[in-house]
Coordinates of all heavy atoms in Angstrom, one line a residue:
I214 N -10.7 20.9 -26.4 CA -9.4 20.4 -26.0 C -9.3 18.9 -26.2 O -8.2 18.3 -26.6 CB -9.2 20.7 -24.5 CG1 -8.9 22.2 -24.2 CG2 -8.0 19.9 -23.8 CD1 -9.0 22.6 -22.8
E215 N -10.3 18.2 -25.8 CA -10.3 16.7 -26.0 C -10.1 16.3 -27.5 O -9.2 15.5 -27.8 CB -11.6 16.1 -25.5 CG -11.8 14.6 -25.7 CD -13.1 14.1 -25.4 OE1 -13.7 14.5 -24.4 OE2 -13.6 13.2 -26.2
K216 N -10.8 17.0 -28.4 CA -10.8 16.7 -29.8 C -9.3 17.0 -30.3 O -8.7 16.2 -31.0 CB -11.8 17.5 -30.6 CG -11.8 17.1 -32.0 CD -12.9 17.9 -32.8 CE -12.9 17.5 -34.3 NZ -11.7 17.6 -35.0
T217 N -8.7 18.2 -29.9 CA -7.4 18.5 -30.4 C -6.3 17.5 -29.9 O -5.5 17.0 -30.7 CB -7.1 19.9 -29.9 OG1 -8.0 20.9 -30.4 CG2 -5.7 20.3 -30.5
C218 N -6.4 17.1 -28.7 CA -5.4 16.1 -28.1 C -5.6 14.8 -28.8 O -4.6 14.1 -29.0 CB -5.6 16.1 -26.6 SG -5.1 17.5 -25.7
M219 N -6.8 14.3 -28.9 CA -7.0 13.0 -29.3 C -6.8 12.8 -30.8 O -6.6 11.7 -31.3 CB -8.5 12.5 -29.0 CG -8.8 12.5 -27.5 SD -7.6 11.7 -26.5 CE -7.7 10.0 -27.0
D220 N -6.8 14.0 -31.6 CA -6.5 13.9 -32.9 C -5.0 13.8 -33.2 O -4.6 13.5 -34.4 CB -7.0 15.1 -33.6 CG -8.5 15.1 -34.0 OD1 -9.1 13.9 -33.8 OD2 -9.1 16.2 -34.2
R221 N -4.1 14.0 -32.2 CA -2.7 13.9 -32.4 C -2.2 12.6 -31.8 O -2.8 12.1 -30.9 CB -2.0 15.1 -31.6 CG -2.5 16.5 -32.2 CD -2.0 17.6 -31.3 NE -0.5 17.9 -31.5 CZ -0.1 18.7 -32.5 NH1 -0.8 19.3 -33.3 NH2 1.2 18.9 -32.5
P222 N -1.2 12.0 -32.3 CA -0.8 10.6 -32.0 C -0.3 10.5 -30.5 O 0.4 11.4 -30.0 CB 0.3 10.3 -33.0 CG 0.8 11.6 -33.5 CD -0.3 12.6 -33.4
W223 N -0.6 9.4 -29.9 CA 0.0 9.0 -28.6 C 1.3 8.4 -29.0 O 1.5 7.6 -29.9 CB -0.9 8.0 -28.0 CG -0.3 7.4 -26.7 CD1 -0.5 7.8 -25.5 CD2 0.5 6.1 -26.7 NE1 0.3 7.0 -24.5 CE2 0.8 5.9 -25.3 CE3 1.0 5.3 -27.6 CZ2 1.6 4.9 -24.8 CZ3 1.8 4.2 -27.1 CH2 2.0 4.0 -25.8
K224 N 2.4 8.7 -28.2 CA 3.8 8.3 -28.5 C 4.4 7.6 -27.3 O 4.2 8.0 -26.1 CB 4.6 9.5 -28.9 CG 4.2 10.2 -30.3 CD 5.2 11.2 -30.6 CE 4.8 11.9 -32.0 NZ 5.7 12.9 -32.5
S225 N 5.2 6.5 -27.6 CA 6.1 5.9 -26.6 C 7.4 5.6 -27.2 O 7.6 5.8 -28.5 CB 5.3 4.6 -26.1 OG 6.1 4.0 -25.1
Y226 N 8.3 5.1 -26.4 CA 9.7 4.8 -26.9 C 10.2 3.5 -26.3 O 9.7 3.1 -25.2 CB 10.5 6.0 -26.4 CG 10.1 7.3 -27.0 CD1 9.2 8.1 -26.2 CD2 10.4 7.8 -28.2 CE1 8.8 9.4 -26.7 CE2 10.0 8.9 -28.8 CZ 9.1 9.8 -28.0 OH 8.6 10.9 -28.5
F227 N 11.2 2.9 -26.9 CA 11.8 1.8 -26.3 C 12.6 2.1 -25.2 O 13.4 3.0 -25.1 CB 12.8 1.2 -27.4 CG 12.0 0.3 -28.6 CD1 11.9 0.9 -29.8 CD2 11.4 -0.8 -28.3 CE1 11.2 0.3 -30.8 CE2 10.7 -1.5 -29.3 CZ 10.6 -0.9 -30.6
L228 N 12.6 1.4 -24.0 CA 13.4 1.5 -22.9 C 14.6 0.5 -23.0 O 15.7 0.9 -22.6 CB 12.6 1.2 -21.6 CG 11.4 2.1 -21.4 CD1 10.7 1.8 -20.1 CD2 11.8 3.6 -21.3
S229 N 14.4 -0.7 -23.5 CA 15.5 -1.7 -23.7 C 15.1 -2.6 -24.7 O 13.9 -2.9 -24.9 CB 15.8 -2.3 -22.3 OG 14.8 -3.2 -21.8
Y230 N 16.2 -3.3 -25.3 CA 15.9 -4.2 -26.4 C 17.1 -5.2 -26.3 O 18.1 -4.9 -26.9 CB 15.7 -3.6 -27.6 CG 15.2 -4.5 -28.8 CD1 14.2 -4.0 -29.7 CD2 15.7 -5.8 -29.1 CE1 13.8 -4.7 -30.6 CE2 15.2 -6.5 -30.1 CZ 14.3 -6.1 -30.9 OH 13.7 -6.8 -32.0
D231 N 16.9 -6.3 -25.6 CA 18.0 -7.2 -25.5 C 17.5 -8.7 -25.2 O 16.4 -8.9 -25.4 CB 19.0 -6.8 -24.3 CG 18.3 -6.6 -23.0 OD1 17.3 -7.4 -22.8 OD2 18.7 -5.7 -22.2
K232 N 18.4 -9.6 -24.8 CA 18.0 -10.9 -24.7 C 16.9 -11.2 -23.6 O 16.2 -12.2 -23.6 CB 19.3 -11.8 -24.4 CG 20.1 -11.4 -23.1 CD 21.2 -12.3 -23.0 CE 22.1 -11.9 -21.7 NZ 21.3 -12.0 -20.5
D233 N 16.9 -10.3 -22.7 CA 15.9 -10.4 -21.6 C 14.5 -9.9 -22.0 O 13.5 -10.1 -21.2 CB 16.5 -9.5 -20.4 CG 17.7 -10.1 -19.8 OD1 17.9 -11.3 -19.7 OD2 18.5 -9.3 -19.3
G234 N 14.4 -9.3 -23.1 CA 13.2 -8.9 -23.6 C 13.1 -7.4 -24.2 O 14.1 -6.8 -24.2
I235 N 11.9 -7.1 -24.8 CA 11.8 -5.7 -25.3 C 10.8 -5.0 -24.4 O 9.7 -5.4 -24.2 CB 11.2 -5.8 -26.7 CG1 12.0 -6.8 -27.6 CG2 11.2 -4.5 -27.4 CD1 11.4 -7.1 -29.0
I236 N 11.2 -3.8 -24.0 CA 10.4 -3.0 -23.0 C 10.2 -1.7 -23.6 O 11.1 -1.0 -24.1 CB 11.1 -2.9 -21.6 CG1 11.4 -4.3 -21.1 CG2 10.2 -2.1 -20.7 CD1 12.1 -4.3 -19.8
I237 N 8.9 -1.2 -23.5 CA 8.7 0.2 -24.0 C 8.0 1.0 -22.8 O 7.6 0.4 -21.8 CB 7.6 0.1 -25.2 CG1 6.2 -0.4 -24.8 CG2 8.2 -0.6 -26.3 CD1 5.2 -0.2 -25.8
A238 N 8.0 2.3 -22.9 CA 7.5 3.1 -21.8 C 6.0 3.2 -22.0 O 5.4 3.0 -23.1 CB 8.0 4.6 -22.0
G239 N 5.3 3.3 -20.9 CA 3.8 3.4 -20.8 C 3.2 2.1 -20.4 O 3.7 0.9 -20.8
G240 N 2.1 2.1 -19.6 CA 1.5 0.9 -19.2 C 0.0 1.1 -19.1 O -0.7 1.8 -19.8
E241 N -0.6 0.4 -18.1 CA -2.0 0.3 -18.0 C -2.7 1.7 -17.7 O -3.8 1.9 -18.3 CB -2.5 -0.6 -16.9 CG -3.9 -1.0 -16.9 CD -4.3 -2.1 -15.8 OE1 -3.3 -2.7 -15.4 OE2 -5.5 -2.2 -15.5
K242 N -2.1 2.5 -16.9 CA -2.7 3.8 -16.7 C -2.8 4.8 -17.9 O -3.6 5.6 -17.9 CB -1.9 4.5 -15.5 CG -2.2 3.9 -14.1 CD -1.5 4.8 -13.1 CE -1.8 4.3 -11.7 NZ -1.6 2.8 -11.5
Q243 N -1.9 4.5 -18.9 CA -1.9 5.2 -20.1 C -2.9 4.6 -21.1 O -2.9 5.1 -22.3 CB -0.5 5.4 -20.6 CG 0.4 6.3 -19.8 CD 1.7 6.6 -20.4 OE1 1.8 6.9 -21.5 NE2 2.8 6.5 -19.6
G244 N -3.4 3.5 -20.8 CA -4.3 2.9 -21.7 C -3.7 1.8 -22.5 O -4.3 1.2 -23.4
V245 N -2.5 1.4 -22.2 CA -1.8 0.3 -22.9 C -2.4 -1.0 -22.4 O -2.3 -1.3 -21.2 CB -0.3 0.3 -22.7 CG1 0.4 -0.8 -23.4 CG2 0.3 1.6 -23.2
K246 N -2.9 -1.9 -23.3 CA -3.5 -3.1 -22.8 C -2.8 -4.3 -23.4 O -2.2 -4.3 -24.5 CB -5.0 -3.1 -23.4 CG -5.8 -2.0 -23.0 CD -6.1 -1.9 -21.5 CE -7.0 -0.8 -21.2 NZ -7.3 -0.6 -19.7
V247 N -2.9 -5.4 -22.7 CA -2.3 -6.7 -23.1 C -3.0 -7.1 -24.4 O -4.2 -7.1 -24.5 CB -2.5 -7.8 -22.0 CG1 -2.0 -9.0 -22.6 CG2 -1.6 -7.4 -20.8
G248 N -2.2 -7.4 -25.4 CA -2.8 -7.8 -26.7 C -2.8 -6.6 -27.7 O -3.1 -6.9 -28.9
S249 N -2.6 -5.4 -27.3 CA -2.6 -4.3 -28.2 C -1.4 -4.3 -29.2 O -0.4 -4.9 -28.8 CB -2.4 -3.0 -27.4 OG -3.5 -2.8 -26.5
V250 N -1.7 -4.0 -30.3 CA -0.7 -4.0 -31.4 C -0.3 -2.6 -31.8 O -1.2 -1.8 -32.2 CB -1.1 -4.8 -32.7 CG1 0.0 -4.8 -33.8 CG2 -1.4 -6.2 -32.3
L251 N 0.9 -2.2 -31.6 CA 1.3 -0.8 -31.8 C 2.3 -0.8 -33.0 O 3.4 -1.5 -32.9 CB 2.0 -0.3 -30.5 CG 1.0 -0.2 -29.3 CD1 1.8 0.1 -28.0 CD2 -0.1 0.7 -29.4
P252 N 2.3 0.2 -33.9 CA 3.2 0.4 -34.9 C 4.5 1.0 -34.5 O 4.4 1.9 -33.6 CB 2.4 1.3 -36.0 CG 1.4 2.0 -35.1 CD 1.0 1.1 -34.0
V253 N 5.6 0.8 -35.0 CA 6.9 1.3 -34.7 C 7.4 2.1 -35.9 O 7.4 1.5 -37.1 CB 7.9 0.2 -34.4 CG1 9.2 0.8 -34.1 CG2 7.4 -0.6 -33.2
Y254 N 7.8 3.3 -35.7 CA 8.2 4.2 -36.8 C 9.6 4.6 -36.6 O 10.1 4.7 -35.5 CB 7.4 5.4 -36.9 CG 5.9 5.3 -37.3 CD1 4.9 4.8 -36.4 CD2 5.5 5.4 -38.6 CE1 3.7 4.7 -36.7 CE2 4.2 5.3 -39.0 CZ 3.2 4.8 -38.0 OH 2.0 4.7 -38.4
E255 N 10.3 4.8 -37.6 CA 11.6 5.5 -37.6 C 11.4 6.9 -37.4 O 10.5 7.5 -38.0 CB 12.4 5.2 -38.9 CG 13.7 5.8 -39.0 CD 14.5 5.5 -40.3 OE1 13.7 5.4 -41.3 OE2 15.7 5.4 -40.4
K256 N 12.2 7.5 -36.5 CA 12.0 9.0 -36.3 C 12.2 9.8 -37.6 O 13.2 9.5 -38.3 CB 13.0 9.5 -35.2 CG 12.6 9.0 -33.9 CD 13.5 9.7 -32.8 CE 13.0 9.3 -31.3 NZ 14.1 9.8 -30.4
G257 N 11.4 10.8 -37.8 CA 11.4 11.5 -39.0 C 12.6 12.5 -38.9 O 13.1 12.9 -37.8
K258 N 13.1 13.0 -40.1 CA 14.1 13.9 -40.2 C 13.7 15.3 -39.7 O 12.6 15.7 -39.8 CB 14.5 14.1 -41.7 CG 15.6 15.0 -41.9 CD 15.9 15.1 -43.4 CE 17.1 16.0 -43.8 NZ 17.4 16.1 -45.2
Q259 N 14.6 16.0 -38.9 CA 14.4 17.3 -38.4 C 14.9 18.3 -39.4 O 16.0 18.3 -39.8 CB 15.2 17.4 -37.0 CG 14.7 16.5 -35.9 CD 13.5 17.1 -35.1 OE1 13.2 18.3 -35.3 NE2 12.9 16.3 -34.3
V260 N 14.0 19.2 -39.7 CA 14.4 20.4 -40.6 C 13.9 21.7 -40.0 O 13.0 21.6 -39.3 CB 13.8 20.1 -42.0 CG1 14.4 18.9 -42.7 CG2 12.2 20.1 -41.9
K261 N 14.5 22.7 -40.4 CA 14.1 24.0 -39.9 C 13.2 24.7 -41.0 O 13.6 24.8 -42.1 CB 15.4 24.9 -39.6 CG 15.1 26.2 -39.0 CD 16.4 26.9 -38.6 CE 16.0 28.3 -37.9 NZ 17.2 29.1 -37.5
N262 N 12.2 25.3 -40.5 CA 11.2 26.0 -41.3 C 11.8 27.4 -41.4 O 11.7 28.2 -40.4 CB 9.8 25.9 -40.9 CG 8.8 26.6 -41.7 OD1 9.2 27.3 -42.6 ND2 7.5 26.4 -41.5
P263 N 12.2 28.0 -42.5 CA 12.8 29.3 -42.6 C 11.7 30.3 -42.4 O 11.9 31.5 -42.1 CB 13.4 29.4 -43.9 CG 12.7 28.3 -44.8 CD 12.5 27.2 -43.8
Q264 N 10.4 30.0 -42.6 CA 9.3 30.9 -42.5 C 9.1 31.2 -41.1 O 8.7 32.4 -40.8 CB 8.0 30.3 -43.2 CG 6.9 31.3 -43.3 CD 5.7 30.6 -43.8 OE1 5.4 29.5 -43.6 NE2 4.8 31.3 -44.5
T265 N 9.1 30.2 -40.3 CA 8.7 30.5 -38.8 C 10.0 30.4 -37.9 O 10.0 30.8 -36.8 CB 7.8 29.4 -38.3 OG1 8.4 28.0 -38.5 CG2 6.5 29.4 -39.1
G266 N 11.1 29.8 -38.4 CA 12.3 29.6 -37.6 C 12.1 28.4 -36.6 O 13.1 28.1 -35.9
M267 N 11.1 27.5 -36.8 CA 10.9 26.5 -35.9 C 11.4 25.1 -36.5 O 11.4 25.1 -37.9 CB 9.4 26.3 -35.6 CG 8.9 27.4 -34.8 SD 7.1 27.2 -34.4 CE 7.2 25.8 -33.4
M268 N 11.9 24.2 -35.7 CA 12.3 22.9 -36.2 C 11.0 22.1 -36.5 O 10.0 22.1 -35.6 CB 13.1 22.3 -35.2 CG 14.5 22.9 -35.0 SD 15.5 23.1 -36.6 CE 15.8 21.3 -36.9
I269 N 11.0 21.3 -37.5 CA 9.8 20.4 -37.9 C 10.4 19.1 -38.0 O 11.4 18.8 -38.6 CB 9.2 20.9 -39.2 CG1 8.7 22.4 -39.1 CG2 8.1 20.0 -39.6 CD1 8.2 22.9 -40.5
E270 N 9.6 18.1 -37.4 CA 9.9 16.7 -37.5 C 9.1 16.1 -38.6 O 7.8 16.0 -38.5 CB 9.7 16.0 -36.2 CG 10.1 14.5 -36.4 CD 10.0 13.7 -35.0 OE1 10.3 14.4 -34.0 OE2 9.7 12.5 -35.1
L271 N 9.7 15.6 -39.7 CA 8.9 15.1 -40.9 C 8.5 13.7 -40.5 O 9.0 13.0 -39.6 CB 9.8 15.0 -42.1 CG 10.4 16.4 -42.5 CD1 11.3 16.2 -43.7 CD2 9.3 17.4 -43.0
P272 N 7.3 13.3 -41.1 CA 6.9 11.9 -40.8 C 7.8 10.8 -41.1 O 8.6 10.9 -42.2 CB 5.7 11.8 -41.7 CG 5.2 13.2 -42.1 CD 6.6 14.0 -42.1
G273 N 8.0 9.9 -40.2 CA 8.9 8.8 -40.4 C 8.3 7.6 -41.0 O 7.0 7.5 -41.1
K274 N 9.0 6.5 -41.4 CA 8.5 5.5 -42.1 C 8.2 4.4 -41.1 O 8.9 4.1 -40.2 CB 9.5 5.0 -43.1 CG 9.1 3.7 -43.9 CD 10.2 3.3 -44.9 CE 9.8 2.0 -45.6 NZ 10.9 1.6 -46.5
Q275 N 7.0 3.7 -41.3 CA 6.7 2.5 -40.4 C 7.5 1.3 -40.7 O 7.6 1.0 -41.9 CB 5.2 2.2 -40.4 CG 4.8 1.1 -39.5 CD 3.3 0.7 -39.6 OE1 2.5 1.6 -40.0 NE2 3.0 -0.5 -39.2
L276 N 8.2 0.8 -39.7 CA 9.2 -0.3 -40.0 C 8.7 -1.6 -39.3 O 9.2 -2.7 -39.7 CB 10.6 0.1 -39.4 CG 11.3 1.3 -39.9 CD1 12.5 1.6 -39.2 CD2 11.4 1.2 -41.5
A277 N 7.9 -1.5 -38.3 CA 7.5 -2.7 -37.5 C 6.3 -2.6 -36.7 O 5.8 -1.5 -36.7 CB 8.7 -3.2 -36.6
K278 N 5.9 -3.6 -36.0 CA 4.8 -3.7 -35.1 C 5.2 -4.4 -33.9 O 5.9 -5.4 -34.0 CB 3.6 -4.2 -35.7 CG 2.9 -3.3 -36.8 CD 1.5 -3.9 -37.3 CE 0.9 -3.1 -38.4 NZ -0.3 -3.7 -38.9
V279 N 4.7 -4.0 -32.7 CA 5.0 -4.8 -31.5 C 3.6 -5.1 -30.9 O 2.7 -4.4 -31.0 CB 5.9 -4.0 -30.6 CG1 7.3 -3.8 -31.0 CG2 5.3 -2.7 -30.1
T280 N 3.6 -6.3 -30.2 CA 2.4 -6.7 -29.5 C 2.7 -6.7 -28.0 O 3.7 -7.2 -27.5 CB 2.0 -8.1 -30.0 OG1 1.7 -8.1 -31.4 CG2 0.7 -8.6 -29.2
V281 N 1.7 -6.1 -27.2 CA 2.0 -6.0 -25.8 C 1.7 -7.3 -25.1 O 0.5 -7.9 -25.2 CB 1.0 -4.9 -25.2 CG1 1.2 -4.9 -23.7 CG2 1.3 -3.6 -25.8

Side-chain angles (χ1 to χ4, degrees):
I214 287 172
E215 177 187 320
K216 184 177 185 305
T217 302
C218 290
M219 302 312 293
D220 282 348
R221 299 170 77 86
W223 173 91
K224 293 183 179 182
S225 180
Y226 303 90
F227 286 106
L228 299 178
S229 68
Y230 193 135
D231 52 35
K232 59 183 179 60
D233 296 325
I235 309 172
I236 303 176
I237 67 170
E241 190 172 347
K242 285 184 172 58
Q243 294 190 44
V245 178
K246 306 293 184 183
V247 174
S249 298
V250 178
L251 302 171
V253 180
Y254 292 84
E255 183 180 28
K256 284 185 179 179
K258 181 180 178 182
Q259 294 273 350
V260 296
K261 185 175 182 179
N262 183 347
Q264 184 184 36
T265 62
M267 298 179 63
M268 296 301 295
I269 300 173
E270 184 176 324
L271 301 178
K274 180 181 178 182
Q275 182 178 335
L276 300 177
K278 290 182 180 179
V279 294
T280 300
V281 179

